[in-house]
Amino acid sequence: MSDPLVRLQNVSVQFDTRPVVERVNLTVHRGDIITIIGPNGAGKTTLIKAVLGLQSVTSGQVSLARNLVVGYVPQHLTLEATLPLSVRRFMLLSGQPRSRCEAALEKTGVGHLLHASVHHLSGGEKQRLLLARALARQPDLLVLDEPAQGVDINGQASLYNLIRQLRDELNCGVIMISHDLHLVMAATDKVICLNQHICCSGFPEDISHDPAFIETFGRPVAESLAVYHHRHNHRHDLHGNVVHGDTRGRDGEHQGCDHAHH
């Protein structure tokens, strides 16, 4: 296995004397999709900021691969409402070449919005724009904080499917924070349940049976996730539509698409 992109060793963060993150160990390699879940106030965003170098750690060590390029997708796009700003201009403000910006917009399915106003985009379009801005950096590591925030249920499934596709194409590592437990279980390789410390971690199909997960999220949530796991011979396109056909993964294994049923 290649050297890790990120390694956290016994990382703790305190605000004044209040522990926010305690003794967290985390390793991310190329090709990994790791999703961090947990209740509000669990320290998820603080942990992400430590990875990004935006938050100093109280103890422990954060090690990044040499010359690591990180693409960050924040939870919200907050802009001054009176500031006229097109999608094209917003992308160019990233400092990346125009050709790379336009290619990233095409890759995330919003290339047709090049001349649209950023203020008039839907929630899903804004998230795809933020993802494109991160991709224009040609990142080794994608860090996404609630990437499906403000996106409807079909758009969420489509967005998570897109993230998996990008992981495969770019061979990058992905760290996500999410509350969308059902969709996350279909989109990720490994789940880390954080409540200041790591309560439990593992494969999505196993995590719902873990006593620490049940204690954190409650038995009804855990039971719904356990029932939820079944396979379908289809996938979603970029617009959330079902596409039937081959769903083989990188290793030739059959990979289904899980769905929440309401």
Side-chain angles (χ1 to χ4, degrees):
M1 184 176 286
S2 62
D3 292 338
L5 299 173
V6 177
R7 175 171 284 156
L8 274 58
Q9 296 173 287
N10 292 315
V11 165
S12 296
V13 178
Q14 290 185 350
F15 295 157
D16 296 325
T17 58
R18 181 173 64 89
V20 180
V21 172
E22 295 186 277
R23 301 183 305 280
V24 168
N25 294 296
L26 172 64
T27 303
V28 185
H29 290 89
R30 287 190 181 276
D32 287 346
I33 299 182
I34 294 176
T35 301
I36 302 170
I37 63 175
N40 290 333
K44 301 184 297 295
T45 297
T46 298
L47 186 64
I48 287 293
K49 287 181 176 179
V51 171
L52 296 170
L54 301 175
Q55 173 64 55
S56 57
V57 302
T58 307
S59 62
Q61 185 173 4
V62 179
S63 303
L64 304 179
R66 186 180 179 86
N67 299 322
L68 181 74
V69 178
V70 179
Y72 174 53
V73 180
Q75 190 173 139
H76 300 291
L77 174 59
T78 305
L79 297 169
E80 172 57 52
T82 58
L83 178 68
L85 188 65
S86 69
V87 166
R88 178 177 177 274
R89 179 63 180 157
F90 177 77
M91 289 293 291
L92 291 176
L93 287 172
S94 68
Q96 301 301 319
R98 185 171 73 176
S99 59
R100 195 183 287 182
C101 290
E102 293 181 0
L105 290 168
E106 290 293 337
K107 198 176 285 285
T108 60
V110 288
H112 61 290
L113 297 173
L114 189 65
H115 301 293
S117 167
V118 171
H119 302 293
H120 296 156
L121 302 182
S122 69
E125 289 167 345
K126 284 180 180 177
Q127 291 307 101
R128 286 172 179 270
L129 172 59
L130 289 171
L131 184 55
R133 199 168 192 260
L135 288 181
R137 293 176 52 82
Q138 298 183 338
D140 305 299
L141 177 70
L142 265 177
V143 179
L144 306 106
D145 189 352
E146 293 283 1
Q149 186 84 9
V151 181
D152 65 31
I153 189 71
N154 289 329
Q156 289 175 24
S158 174
L159 188 62
Y160 283 124
N161 189 51
L162 172 61
I163 291 166
R164 288 187 68 88
Q165 290 177 22
L166 294 171
R167 182 276 312 268
D168 291 343
E169 290 177 18
L170 302 173
N171 190 31
C172 62
V174 179
I175 304 175
M176 284 194 289
I177 292 176
S178 185
H179 285 104
D180 306 304
L181 296 184
H182 287 88
L183 287 164
V184 159
M185 294 303 186
T188 193
D189 300 319
K190 183 179 181 181
V191 177
I192 292 175
C193 180
L194 187 72
N195 197 359
Q196 275 137 30
H197 65 285
I198 293 178
C199 305
C200 55
S201 63
F203 296 112
E205 57 268 28
D206 299 329
I207 200 83
S208 60
H209 303 290
D210 192 295
F213 181 91
I214 295 169
E215 183 180 346
T216 301
F217 288 98
R219 189 167 296 278
V221 171
E223 288 176 350
S224 74
L225 289 177
V227 169
Y228 173 86
H229 282 286
H230 57 278
R231 300 296 187 181
H232 292 287
N233 184 28
H234 69 259
R235 59 185 174 83
H236 291 283
D237 65 15
L238 294 184
H239 306 291
N241 301 313
V242 170
V243 179
H244 293 270
D246 186 25
T247 54
R248 294 187 179 276
R250 288 175 298 158
D251 303 319
E253 295 293 330
H254 189 79
Q255 296 183 342
C257 178
D258 294 333
H259 287 271
H261 295 281
H262 300 278

Short mmCIF file of all heavy atoms in Angstrom, two decimals, residues 43-93:
data_model
loop_
_atom_site.label_atom_id
_atom_site.label_comp_id
_atom_site.label_asym_id
_atom_site.label_seq_id
_atom_site.Cartn_x
_atom_site.Cartn_y
_atom_site.Cartn_z
N GLY A 43 -17.29 17.35 17.46
CA GLY A 43 -15.92 17.70 17.10
C GLY A 43 -15.57 17.40 15.66
O GLY A 43 -14.39 17.47 15.28
N LYS A 44 -16.56 17.12 14.82
CA LYS A 44 -16.30 16.71 13.43
C LYS A 44 -15.60 17.82 12.64
O LYS A 44 -14.57 17.59 11.99
CB LYS A 44 -17.61 16.31 12.74
CG LYS A 44 -18.34 15.17 13.40
CD LYS A 44 -19.57 14.75 12.63
CE LYS A 44 -20.63 15.82 12.52
NZ LYS A 44 -21.23 16.18 13.83
N THR A 45 -16.18 19.03 12.69
CA THR A 45 -15.59 20.14 11.92
C THR A 45 -14.24 20.53 12.49
O THR A 45 -13.31 20.87 11.73
CB THR A 45 -16.55 21.34 11.92
OG1 THR A 45 -17.77 20.96 11.26
CG2 THR A 45 -15.95 22.51 11.17
N THR A 46 -14.08 20.47 13.80
CA THR A 46 -12.78 20.76 14.42
C THR A 46 -11.72 19.79 13.93
O THR A 46 -10.59 20.17 13.62
CB THR A 46 -12.90 20.69 15.96
OG1 THR A 46 -13.83 21.67 16.40
CG2 THR A 46 -11.55 20.94 16.62
N LEU A 47 -12.09 18.52 13.83
CA LEU A 47 -11.15 17.50 13.34
C LEU A 47 -10.74 17.79 11.90
O LEU A 47 -9.56 17.70 11.55
CB LEU A 47 -11.78 16.12 13.46
CG LEU A 47 -10.86 14.94 13.13
CD1 LEU A 47 -9.71 14.85 14.11
CD2 LEU A 47 -11.65 13.63 13.10
N ILE A 48 -11.73 18.15 11.06
CA ILE A 48 -11.44 18.48 9.67
C ILE A 48 -10.51 19.69 9.59
O ILE A 48 -9.57 19.71 8.79
CB ILE A 48 -12.76 18.77 8.91
CG1 ILE A 48 -13.53 17.48 8.66
CG2 ILE A 48 -12.48 19.49 7.60
CD1 ILE A 48 -12.87 16.54 7.71
N LYS A 49 -10.75 20.70 10.42
CA LYS A 49 -9.89 21.88 10.42
C LYS A 49 -8.47 21.54 10.84
O LYS A 49 -7.51 22.15 10.35
CB LYS A 49 -10.48 22.95 11.34
CG LYS A 49 -11.72 23.63 10.78
CD LYS A 49 -12.24 24.71 11.71
CE LYS A 49 -13.42 25.46 11.12
NZ LYS A 49 -13.96 26.48 12.04
N ALA A 50 -8.32 20.56 11.71
CA ALA A 50 -6.98 20.12 12.09
C ALA A 50 -6.26 19.49 10.91
O ALA A 50 -5.07 19.71 10.69
CB ALA A 50 -7.06 19.14 13.26
N VAL A 51 -6.99 18.70 10.12
CA VAL A 51 -6.42 18.11 8.90
C VAL A 51 -5.99 19.19 7.93
O VAL A 51 -4.93 19.13 7.31
CB VAL A 51 -7.43 17.14 8.24
CG1 VAL A 51 -6.93 16.69 6.87
CG2 VAL A 51 -7.69 15.94 9.13
N LEU A 52 -6.83 20.23 7.79
CA LEU A 52 -6.56 21.31 6.84
C LEU A 52 -5.51 22.30 7.33
O LEU A 52 -5.09 23.18 6.58
CB LEU A 52 -7.86 22.08 6.55
CG LEU A 52 -8.98 21.29 5.85
CD1 LEU A 52 -10.27 22.10 5.84
CD2 LEU A 52 -8.56 20.93 4.43
N GLY A 53 -5.09 22.16 8.59
CA GLY A 53 -4.12 23.09 9.14
C GLY A 53 -4.74 24.39 9.61
O GLY A 53 -4.02 25.37 9.90
N LEU A 54 -6.08 24.42 9.71
CA LEU A 54 -6.78 25.63 10.15
C LEU A 54 -6.98 25.65 11.66
O LEU A 54 -7.40 26.66 12.22
CB LEU A 54 -8.14 25.72 9.45
CG LEU A 54 -8.11 25.76 7.92
CD1 LEU A 54 -9.53 25.73 7.36
CD2 LEU A 54 -7.36 27.00 7.43
N GLN A 55 -6.73 24.53 12.30
CA GLN A 55 -6.89 24.42 13.74
C GLN A 55 -5.66 23.74 14.32
O GLN A 55 -5.31 22.63 13.91
CB GLN A 55 -8.14 23.58 14.07
CG GLN A 55 -8.33 23.25 15.53
CD GLN A 55 -8.54 24.47 16.38
OE1 GLN A 55 -9.43 25.27 16.12
NE2 GLN A 55 -7.71 24.65 17.40
N SER A 56 -4.98 24.42 15.24
CA SER A 56 -3.82 23.80 15.88
C SER A 56 -4.30 22.75 16.87
O SER A 56 -5.38 22.86 17.44
CB SER A 56 -2.97 24.85 16.59
OG SER A 56 -3.75 25.54 17.55
N VAL A 57 -3.50 21.70 17.04
CA VAL A 57 -3.87 20.62 17.95
C VAL A 57 -3.21 20.85 19.30
O VAL A 57 -2.12 21.41 19.40
CB VAL A 57 -3.50 19.23 17.37
CG1 VAL A 57 -4.17 19.04 16.03
CG2 VAL A 57 -2.00 19.06 17.25
N THR A 58 -3.89 20.40 20.35
CA THR A 58 -3.37 20.54 21.70
C THR A 58 -2.29 19.49 21.96
O THR A 58 -1.28 19.77 22.62
CB THR A 58 -4.50 20.38 22.73
OG1 THR A 58 -5.56 21.30 22.39
CG2 THR A 58 -4.03 20.67 24.13
N SER A 59 -2.51 18.30 21.44
CA SER A 59 -1.51 17.24 21.55
C SER A 59 -1.70 16.27 20.40
O SER A 59 -2.72 16.29 19.71
CB SER A 59 -1.64 16.51 22.89
OG SER A 59 -2.90 15.90 23.01
N GLY A 60 -0.70 15.42 20.19
CA GLY A 60 -0.74 14.49 19.07
C GLY A 60 -0.07 15.08 17.84
O GLY A 60 0.51 16.17 17.89
N GLN A 61 -0.19 14.38 16.73
CA GLN A 61 0.53 14.77 15.52
C GLN A 61 -0.35 14.60 14.29
O GLN A 61 -1.03 13.58 14.13
CB GLN A 61 1.80 13.92 15.36
CG GLN A 61 2.69 14.34 14.20
CD GLN A 61 4.00 13.56 14.20
OE1 GLN A 61 4.20 12.67 15.02
NE2 GLN A 61 4.88 13.90 13.28
N VAL A 62 -0.31 15.60 13.40
CA VAL A 62 -0.96 15.54 12.09
C VAL A 62 0.13 15.49 11.04
O VAL A 62 0.93 16.43 10.93
CB VAL A 62 -1.87 16.76 11.85
CG1 VAL A 62 -2.50 16.69 10.46
CG2 VAL A 62 -2.94 16.87 12.93
N SER A 63 0.19 14.41 10.28
CA SER A 63 1.21 14.24 9.25
C SER A 63 0.55 14.20 7.88
O SER A 63 -0.40 13.44 7.66
CB SER A 63 2.00 12.93 9.46
OG SER A 63 2.58 12.90 10.75
N LEU A 64 1.03 15.04 6.96
CA LEU A 64 0.51 15.10 5.60
C LEU A 64 1.57 14.66 4.62
O LEU A 64 2.77 14.89 4.83
CB LEU A 64 0.06 16.52 5.25
CG LEU A 64 -0.96 17.19 6.19
CD1 LEU A 64 -1.26 18.60 5.70
CD2 LEU A 64 -2.23 16.37 6.28
N ALA A 65 1.14 14.03 3.53
CA ALA A 65 2.08 13.63 2.49
C ALA A 65 2.78 14.85 1.91
O ALA A 65 2.21 15.95 1.87
CB ALA A 65 1.35 12.87 1.38
N ARG A 66 4.00 14.66 1.44
CA ARG A 66 4.79 15.74 0.87
C ARG A 66 4.06 16.33 -0.35
O ARG A 66 3.55 15.60 -1.20
CB ARG A 66 6.16 15.19 0.46
CG ARG A 66 7.14 16.25 -0.03
CD ARG A 66 8.45 15.58 -0.41
NE ARG A 66 9.42 16.52 -0.90
CZ ARG A 66 10.25 17.21 -0.12
NH1 ARG A 66 10.22 17.06 1.18
NH2 ARG A 66 11.12 18.05 -0.64
N ASN A 67 3.99 17.64 -0.41
CA ASN A 67 3.37 18.37 -1.53
C ASN A 67 1.89 18.01 -1.72
O ASN A 67 1.37 18.04 -2.84
CB ASN A 67 4.14 18.13 -2.83
CG ASN A 67 5.57 18.61 -2.76
OD1 ASN A 67 5.85 19.64 -2.17
ND2 ASN A 67 6.48 17.84 -3.34
N LEU A 68 1.23 17.66 -0.64
CA LEU A 68 -0.18 17.28 -0.72
C LEU A 68 -1.03 18.46 -1.19
O LEU A 68 -0.93 19.56 -0.67
CB LEU A 68 -0.66 16.82 0.67
CG LEU A 68 -2.12 16.37 0.76
CD1 LEU A 68 -2.29 15.00 0.11
CD2 LEU A 68 -2.59 16.33 2.21
N VAL A 69 -1.86 18.21 -2.20
CA VAL A 69 -2.82 19.22 -2.69
C VAL A 69 -4.19 18.83 -2.17
O VAL A 69 -4.68 17.72 -2.42
CB VAL A 69 -2.83 19.29 -4.23
CG1 VAL A 69 -3.88 20.31 -4.70
CG2 VAL A 69 -1.45 19.66 -4.76
N VAL A 70 -4.83 19.75 -1.45
CA VAL A 70 -6.12 19.49 -0.84
C VAL A 70 -7.19 20.35 -1.51
O VAL A 70 -7.00 21.55 -1.72
CB VAL A 70 -6.10 19.80 0.67
CG1 VAL A 70 -7.47 19.55 1.30
CG2 VAL A 70 -5.04 18.96 1.38
N GLY A 71 -8.30 19.73 -1.86
CA GLY A 71 -9.47 20.45 -2.34
C GLY A 71 -10.53 20.44 -1.25
O GLY A 71 -10.93 19.36 -0.80
N TYR A 72 -10.98 21.61 -0.82
CA TYR A 72 -11.91 21.70 0.30
C TYR A 72 -13.27 22.18 -0.19
O TYR A 72 -13.37 23.18 -0.90
CB TYR A 72 -11.36 22.67 1.35
CG TYR A 72 -12.29 22.95 2.50
CD1 TYR A 72 -12.86 21.92 3.24
CD2 TYR A 72 -12.61 24.27 2.83
CE1 TYR A 72 -13.72 22.19 4.30
CE2 TYR A 72 -13.47 24.55 3.90
CZ TYR A 72 -14.02 23.51 4.63
OH TYR A 72 -14.87 23.76 5.67
N VAL A 73 -14.32 21.47 0.20
CA VAL A 73 -15.69 21.85 -0.13
C VAL A 73 -16.40 22.21 1.17
O VAL A 73 -16.73 21.33 1.97
CB VAL A 73 -16.44 20.71 -0.84
CG1 VAL A 73 -17.88 21.14 -1.16
CG2 VAL A 73 -15.71 20.29 -2.10
N PRO A 74 -16.63 23.51 1.42
CA PRO A 74 -17.27 23.92 2.68
C PRO A 74 -18.75 23.57 2.69
O PRO A 74 -19.33 23.20 1.67
CB PRO A 74 -17.06 25.44 2.70
CG PRO A 74 -16.97 25.81 1.25
CD PRO A 74 -16.30 24.65 0.56
N GLN A 75 -19.34 23.72 3.85
CA GLN A 75 -20.75 23.36 4.02
C GLN A 75 -21.68 24.32 3.30
O GLN A 75 -22.71 23.91 2.78
CB GLN A 75 -21.06 23.34 5.52
CG GLN A 75 -22.39 22.74 5.87
CD GLN A 75 -22.54 22.60 7.38
OE1 GLN A 75 -23.61 22.86 7.93
NE2 GLN A 75 -21.49 22.20 8.06
N HIS A 76 -21.33 25.60 3.26
CA HIS A 76 -22.20 26.61 2.66
C HIS A 76 -21.38 27.52 1.76
O HIS A 76 -20.19 27.72 1.96
CB HIS A 76 -22.86 27.49 3.73
CG HIS A 76 -23.72 26.74 4.69
ND1 HIS A 76 -24.91 26.17 4.33
CD2 HIS A 76 -23.54 26.47 6.01
CE1 HIS A 76 -25.44 25.57 5.39
NE2 HIS A 76 -24.63 25.74 6.42
N LEU A 77 -22.07 28.08 0.76
CA LEU A 77 -21.50 29.14 -0.07
C LEU A 77 -22.17 30.44 0.36
O LEU A 77 -23.36 30.65 0.12
CB LEU A 77 -21.76 28.86 -1.54
CG LEU A 77 -21.35 29.96 -2.53
CD1 LEU A 77 -19.87 30.26 -2.42
CD2 LEU A 77 -21.72 29.57 -3.95
N THR A 78 -21.42 31.29 1.04
CA THR A 78 -21.97 32.55 1.55
C THR A 78 -21.35 33.70 0.77
O THR A 78 -20.13 33.91 0.82
CB THR A 78 -21.67 32.72 3.05
OG1 THR A 78 -22.17 31.58 3.75
CG2 THR A 78 -22.33 33.97 3.59
N LEU A 79 -22.19 34.42 0.04
CA LEU A 79 -21.72 35.53 -0.77
C LEU A 79 -22.59 36.76 -0.52
O LEU A 79 -23.77 36.64 -0.17
CB LEU A 79 -21.79 35.16 -2.26
CG LEU A 79 -20.91 34.01 -2.74
CD1 LEU A 79 -21.31 33.61 -4.15
CD2 LEU A 79 -19.44 34.39 -2.68
N GLU A 80 -22.02 37.93 -0.71
CA GLU A 80 -22.77 39.18 -0.60
C GLU A 80 -23.83 39.21 -1.71
O GLU A 80 -23.52 39.11 -2.90
CB GLU A 80 -21.81 40.36 -0.74
CG GLU A 80 -22.48 41.72 -0.85
CD GLU A 80 -23.39 42.00 0.34
OE1 GLU A 80 -22.91 41.86 1.50
OE2 GLU A 80 -24.58 42.33 0.11
N ALA A 81 -25.09 39.33 -1.31
CA ALA A 81 -26.21 39.20 -2.25
C ALA A 81 -26.18 40.27 -3.34
O ALA A 81 -26.68 40.05 -4.44
CB ALA A 81 -27.53 39.26 -1.50
N THR A 82 -25.62 41.42 -3.04
CA THR A 82 -25.62 42.52 -4.02
C THR A 82 -24.41 42.46 -4.96
O THR A 82 -24.30 43.28 -5.88
CB THR A 82 -25.62 43.88 -3.30
OG1 THR A 82 -24.47 43.95 -2.44
CG2 THR A 82 -26.88 44.04 -2.46
N LEU A 83 -23.53 41.50 -4.74
CA LEU A 83 -22.32 41.40 -5.56
C LEU A 83 -22.61 40.56 -6.80
O LEU A 83 -22.87 39.36 -6.68
CB LEU A 83 -21.19 40.76 -4.76
CG LEU A 83 -19.86 40.54 -5.47
CD1 LEU A 83 -19.19 41.88 -5.79
CD2 LEU A 83 -18.93 39.67 -4.63
N PRO A 84 -22.60 41.15 -7.99
CA PRO A 84 -22.84 40.35 -9.20
C PRO A 84 -21.66 39.40 -9.44
O PRO A 84 -20.51 39.82 -9.46
CB PRO A 84 -22.96 41.40 -10.32
CG PRO A 84 -22.22 42.59 -9.80
CD PRO A 84 -22.34 42.57 -8.30
N LEU A 85 -21.97 38.12 -9.59
CA LEU A 85 -20.90 37.14 -9.72
C LEU A 85 -21.39 35.96 -10.56
O LEU A 85 -22.35 35.28 -10.17
CB LEU A 85 -20.46 36.65 -8.34
CG LEU A 85 -19.23 35.75 -8.27
CD1 LEU A 85 -17.98 36.51 -8.72
CD2 LEU A 85 -19.04 35.22 -6.85
N SER A 86 -20.76 35.74 -11.69
CA SER A 86 -21.12 34.60 -12.53
C SER A 86 -20.35 33.36 -12.06
O SER A 86 -19.35 33.45 -11.34
CB SER A 86 -20.77 34.90 -14.00
OG SER A 86 -19.36 34.95 -14.16
N VAL A 87 -20.82 32.21 -12.49
CA VAL A 87 -20.14 30.95 -12.19
C VAL A 87 -18.70 30.98 -12.73
O VAL A 87 -17.76 30.59 -12.04
CB VAL A 87 -20.92 29.76 -12.78
CG1 VAL A 87 -20.08 28.49 -12.80
CG2 VAL A 87 -22.22 29.55 -12.02
N ARG A 88 -18.56 31.50 -13.93
CA ARG A 88 -17.22 31.57 -14.54
C ARG A 88 -16.28 32.43 -13.70
O ARG A 88 -15.15 32.03 -13.41
CB ARG A 88 -17.33 32.13 -15.95
CG ARG A 88 -16.01 32.30 -16.68
CD ARG A 88 -16.25 32.81 -18.11
NE ARG A 88 -15.00 33.03 -18.81
CZ ARG A 88 -14.30 34.16 -18.74
NH1 ARG A 88 -14.72 35.18 -17.98
NH2 ARG A 88 -13.16 34.29 -19.41
N ARG A 89 -16.77 33.58 -13.27
CA ARG A 89 -15.93 34.49 -12.47
C ARG A 89 -15.59 33.87 -11.12
O ARG A 89 -14.47 33.98 -10.63
CB ARG A 89 -16.68 35.82 -12.29
CG ARG A 89 -15.92 36.85 -11.46
CD ARG A 89 -14.63 37.27 -12.13
NE ARG A 89 -13.91 38.25 -11.35
CZ ARG A 89 -12.60 38.47 -11.44
NH1 ARG A 89 -11.86 37.72 -12.25
NH2 ARG A 89 -12.01 39.39 -10.70
N PHE A 90 -16.58 33.22 -10.53
CA PHE A 90 -16.36 32.56 -9.23
C PHE A 90 -15.26 31.51 -9.35
O PHE A 90 -14.40 31.40 -8.46
CB PHE A 90 -17.67 31.91 -8.76
CG PHE A 90 -17.53 31.16 -7.47
CD1 PHE A 90 -17.48 31.80 -6.24
CD2 PHE A 90 -17.45 29.76 -7.48
CE1 PHE A 90 -17.36 31.10 -5.05
CE2 PHE A 90 -17.33 29.04 -6.30
CZ PHE A 90 -17.28 29.72 -5.08
N MET A 91 -15.28 30.75 -10.43
CA MET A 91 -14.25 29.73 -10.63
C MET A 91 -12.87 30.36 -10.85
O MET A 91 -11.87 29.90 -10.29
CB MET A 91 -14.62 28.84 -11.81
CG MET A 91 -15.80 27.92 -11.55
SD MET A 91 -15.45 26.63 -10.31
CE MET A 91 -14.28 25.60 -11.21
N LEU A 92 -12.81 31.42 -11.63
CA LEU A 92 -11.53 32.04 -11.94
C LEU A 92 -10.91 32.70 -10.70
O LEU A 92 -9.68 32.83 -10.61
CB LEU A 92 -11.69 33.07 -13.06
CG LEU A 92 -12.00 32.50 -14.45
CD1 LEU A 92 -12.23 33.62 -15.45
CD2 LEU A 92 -10.85 31.60 -14.93
N LEU A 93 -11.75 33.10 -9.74
CA LEU A 93 -11.23 33.67 -8.49
C LEU A 93 -10.43 32.66 -7.69
O LEU A 93 -9.72 33.03 -6.75
CB LEU A 93 -12.38 34.22 -7.65
CG LEU A 93 -13.02 35.53 -8.15
CD1 LEU A 93 -14.28 35.85 -7.34
CD2 LEU A 93 -12.02 36.68 -8.09
#
